[in-house]
Amino acid sequence: AAWLFPYHTLGFTKVVSYDLNIDFDKLEEKFGGNLENLYPEITPNWIDGDISLMSAIIQYTPRPFYIQQMGTEITSRLFGENNKYLAMHWRYDKDDWGAHCFRSDPGNRGEHASQNQGDLCDVVLGAIANPLPMANKTADWIKKLLLKPEFEDVKGLYIAAPLNSQELMDAIKNSVEQSISNFKVRTGSDSMPIFQSLYPECSYFKNNLHDAFSLIDMEICSKSVIFSRSRGSSWSSNIAQERHVRGNDGNDIENMFLLGYQGDESIDED
């Protein structure tokens, strides 16, 4: 038997509701797996609610090593070796994500939900049509971050986005780089050529280009110092779960903040 999309259908997203910073290697090697000795403050639901199992699965199922290596090589070329960077996942392209907006019909989602959905669609589609306000707000957010000692050595922003969102990505790049000296904004248009140059004769990558590149984008986003996720995206959600289990999501945000959206952000995951 096979269970399709286990992370999505088994409710792995609930791990982000727990305050976790679990070092599984330390737990296994030094404490023989005795959670109570190492983390006595964790609630009983850690065991009873399968949070322990889900968190361990996330911890022990990283992306393939060659994907990790390529992610490191690409970020080293984009931002410098061992340099810190921010990452954002932009999920909201007009053709694909915009299809969600057609569900705002009250007959499909209910009156209250459709109003929230309609407001969200207005904000997102407005940013696509006029990217400058979001670009400027992103620049302001980064400038404030760089004033904090723990982020003053961050060298750039990586944006994982559909290729048909390049106009908005270019607007963010121009706004940020013009207002912050020596700060780089890089997107898939910068990382894809590096990826293709690393294994130019690999038939597997040629036949599975977009799937492999999506994994590399996930790896890059997962290793950033701050990740700005897209609400309603299972792609973003998987990275958020991974970062939460590893305890490095303390400053992560949802990019609806950069869009100025203040309402209910709930939406079906893709």
Side-chain angles (χ1 to χ4, degrees):
W3 195 303
L4 299 178
F5 307 112
Y7 277 70
H8 187 65
T9 58
L10 291 179
F12 273 72
T13 54
K14 66 184 179 183
V15 300
V16 299
S17 300
Y18 286 77
D19 185 11
L20 307 178
N21 188 0
I22 308 302
D23 187 332
F24 286 92
D25 291 331
K26 183 178 179 182
L27 179 64
E28 182 175 334
E29 293 172 6
K30 296 186 178 180
F31 292 84
N34 191 330
L35 185 71
E36 294 180 357
N37 285 349
L38 186 58
Y39 298 105
E41 73 282 3
I42 292 179
T43 67
N45 279 339
W46 171 257
I47 300 297
D48 298 337
D50 292 329
I51 302 301
S52 59
L53 178 59
M54 290 182 179
S55 298
I57 290 172
I58 293 170
Q59 182 85 350
Y60 286 118
T61 54
R63 282 164 289 280
F65 185 61
Y66 68 89
I67 294 292
Q68 298 178 48
Q69 286 183 308
M70 284 192 287
T72 299
E73 177 64 24
I74 289 172
T75 53
S76 294
R77 295 193 192 185
L78 295 179
F79 304 114
E81 188 173 357
N82 297 322
N83 275 333
K84 297 178 181 178
Y85 60 92
L86 312 172
M88 178 192 298
H89 176 218
W90 178 260
R91 170 66 181 87
Y92 319 108
D93 66 299
K94 186 175 182 180
D95 295 331
D96 186 4
W97 186 89
H100 287 288
C101 296
F102 292 107
R103 301 180 187 176
S104 60
D105 186 327
N108 292 332
R109 298 182 62 87
E111 184 176 354
H112 178 69
S114 67
Q115 182 60 53
N116 289 329
Q117 183 78 356
D119 293 344
L120 180 59
C121 288
D122 289 344
V123 170
V124 171
L125 297 180
I128 294 173
N130 181 21
L132 190 57
M134 183 196 169
N136 291 338
K137 191 162 186 177
T138 302
D140 291 340
W141 170 63
I142 294 173
K143 283 189 284 188
K144 291 177 181 177
L145 277 178
L146 296 180
L147 294 175
K148 300 179 180 180
E150 63 267 37
F151 301 122
E152 62 184 5
D153 56 347
V154 171
K155 299 300 182 182
L157 167 68
Y158 184 80
I159 307 177
L163 295 178
N164 59 3
S165 300
Q166 195 60 43
E167 182 178 355
L168 176 58
M169 301 306 103
D170 289 341
I172 293 175
K173 175 182 173 68
N174 293 335
S175 179
V176 172
E177 292 187 345
Q178 288 174 11
S179 59
I180 306 174
S181 60
N182 300 317
F183 192 92
K184 301 175 181 178
V185 177
R186 297 293 181 260
T187 68
S189 63
D190 301 294
S191 56
M192 176 67 86
I194 300 175
F195 163 50
Q196 292 176 307
S197 72
L198 293 175
Y199 296 94
E201 304 304 323
C202 178
S203 60
Y204 175 81
F205 286 149
K206 289 180 179 179
N207 295 330
N208 300 275
L209 179 65
H210 296 291
D211 287 341
F213 187 64
S214 179
L215 286 175
I216 292 172
D217 264 357
M218 293 185 81
E219 181 66 20
I220 291 173
C221 289
S222 74
K223 298 297 174 60
S224 62
V225 295
I226 294 179
F227 175 55
S228 175
R229 62 173 290 193
S230 286
R231 183 74 175 187
S233 166
S234 56
W235 196 98
S236 269
S237 178
N238 286 338
I239 297 173
Q241 293 165 37
E242 176 184 346
R243 289 174 61 83
H244 187 65
V245 166
R246 294 197 168 103
N248 59 354
D249 64 335
N251 294 289
D252 289 0
I253 65 169
E254 291 180 352
N255 54 30
M256 283 296 162
F257 160 76
L258 300 174
L259 288 166
Y261 182 72
Q262 302 296 327
D264 179 2
E265 297 170 1
S266 60
I267 185 173
D268 292 343
E269 289 188 353
D270 55 14

